[in-house]
Amino acid sequence: MKDCTIESRLLFAHNAIDHALRNSVIKEALNKYGYDDNTIKSGRTLYEEADTLHRIQVREYGAQQFITDDLVEARANANINYLKHLRLARIALKDLPEVIQVLWNVEIKSFSLFGWMKQVEDFYNRLLQSTIDQKKALDKVGLDDAILCQGLDNMKSVERLLNEQLKEDGEAHNSTKKRDAAFDVMNTWVIDFIEVASIALDTKPQYLEIMGACSR
C-alpha cells in the first residue's frame, strides 16, 4: 500500500477488515493470533474515523475551490470596471490639475490582491469626495455617485470573498491535519493486521487474496 492514494488505502483497509469479520476461515485463523472479533472491530472503528475525516477534508477543499473561483471572477470583473472608470476620470478631470496629478499617478503598483484592493478603494473614495465642479465633470462621462459607489461595492465584494476564502482555507488545512492523524493511526493498525494475517494464513493464500493482502 506504500504508493497508493489515500482512497485506495481506505478501500484496502475496508475490504480486509470486512472479510476478516465475515469469513469464518479467516476469522478462525486470525483468532489464534490475538485478532478476535472485538480486536478487528476496533480496527474497523479506526477505519471509519479515518474515512469520515477524509470525506470532510475533500468537502472542505471543494468548498474552498468554489470560493476561490468566485473570488477570481469577482476581482476580474471589478478590475475591468475600475480601469474603465480610471480612464474616464482622467479624461473628465484633465483640466483640474489638483486632481489629475493624483489620477495619473495611479497605476497597478502591486500584483497582490491586498495592494489592488487598497488602490481601488482609494480611487473611488477620492472621486466620491470630489468638489461640485469635479462632480459635474465626472457626471458628463457617466461617473456619477451611483456608478462610483457601485465600483466601490464591487471591490468590497472581492474583500468579502477573500475573507471567506481565508476562512475556508484555514478549515481545509485543519481538516487535513485531522484526517492525516487519523489515517496514520489506522494505517499503522492495518499494516500490523495484514502482517499477522499473512502468517496466520500462510498455508491458505487464497484467503489472503480475498483480503487483498497479496496486492499490498
Side-chain angles (χ1 to χ4, degrees):
M1 295 188 294
K2 183 177 180 181
D3 298 321
C4 293
T5 63
I6 285 179
E7 287 84 358
S8 296
R9 297 183 190 186
L10 286 168
L11 179 61
F12 173 86
H14 174 267
N15 288 338
I17 293 169
D18 186 59
H19 284 297
L21 287 170
R22 292 192 298 109
N23 188 289
S24 59
V25 175
I26 296 174
K27 183 183 295 188
E28 182 181 353
L30 287 171
N31 190 58
K32 296 177 182 179
Y33 290 85
Y35 281 89
D36 58 15
D37 269 11
N38 288 334
T39 302
I40 298 173
K41 286 178 180 178
S42 71
R44 184 172 64 184
T45 298
L46 296 178
Y47 155 76
E48 290 172 347
E49 181 178 1
D51 184 63
T52 297
L53 290 173
H54 178 60
R55 293 175 188 274
I56 291 173
Q57 190 262 0
V58 170
R59 186 170 64 248
E60 291 290 353
Y61 271 96
Q64 181 202 40
Q65 187 58 54
F66 277 123
I67 294 297
T68 299
D69 292 343
D70 289 344
L71 173 61
V72 170
E73 182 178 2
R75 180 187 180 181
N77 291 335
N79 195 54
I80 289 172
N81 286 324
Y82 161 62
L83 293 176
K84 180 176 69 175
H85 294 164
L86 177 59
R87 292 174 63 191
L88 288 170
R90 285 172 170 171
I91 294 169
L93 304 174
K94 64 182 179 180
D95 295 327
L96 299 172
E98 70 276 17
V99 180
I100 198 62
Q101 184 176 0
V102 175
L103 294 181
W104 278 108
N105 286 334
V106 174
E107 298 293 348
I108 302 298
K109 298 177 180 178
S110 174
F111 289 103
S112 76
L113 183 53
F114 289 102
W116 176 85
M117 289 191 300
K118 177 66 166 59
Q119 179 177 313
V120 174
E121 183 176 26
D122 287 348
F123 168 76
Y124 285 113
N125 283 333
R126 175 67 183 82
L127 295 190
L128 285 167
Q129 295 167 10
S130 297
T131 65
I132 294 177
D133 289 340
Q134 292 165 4
K135 285 185 179 295
K136 287 180 180 179
L138 291 169
D139 286 345
K140 288 181 180 180
V141 295
L143 294 180
D144 57 23
D145 280 1
I147 293 296
L148 297 175
C149 285
Q150 183 60 57
L152 186 59
D153 286 344
N154 290 341
M155 188 283 298
K156 292 296 184 181
S157 294
V158 173
E159 185 176 39
R160 286 191 293 271
L161 285 169
L162 175 60
N163 289 333
E164 192 172 348
Q165 184 207 40
L166 293 173
K167 176 178 175 291
E168 291 290 347
D169 186 61
E171 291 177 353
H173 278 83
N174 187 49
S175 68
T176 299
K177 289 181 180 179
K178 289 182 179 179
R179 188 277 311 272
D180 288 350
F183 179 81
D184 286 344
V185 173
M186 180 213 75
N187 204 42
T188 297
W189 188 93
V190 170
I191 289 173
D192 291 343
F193 174 60
I194 294 302
E195 286 300 323
V196 171
S198 66
I199 295 171
L201 297 166
D202 62 342
T203 61
K204 301 173 182 178
Q206 67 272 29
Y207 289 99
L208 283 174
E209 290 181 10
I210 290 174
M211 294 178 67
C214 291
S215 61
R216 64 195 170 95

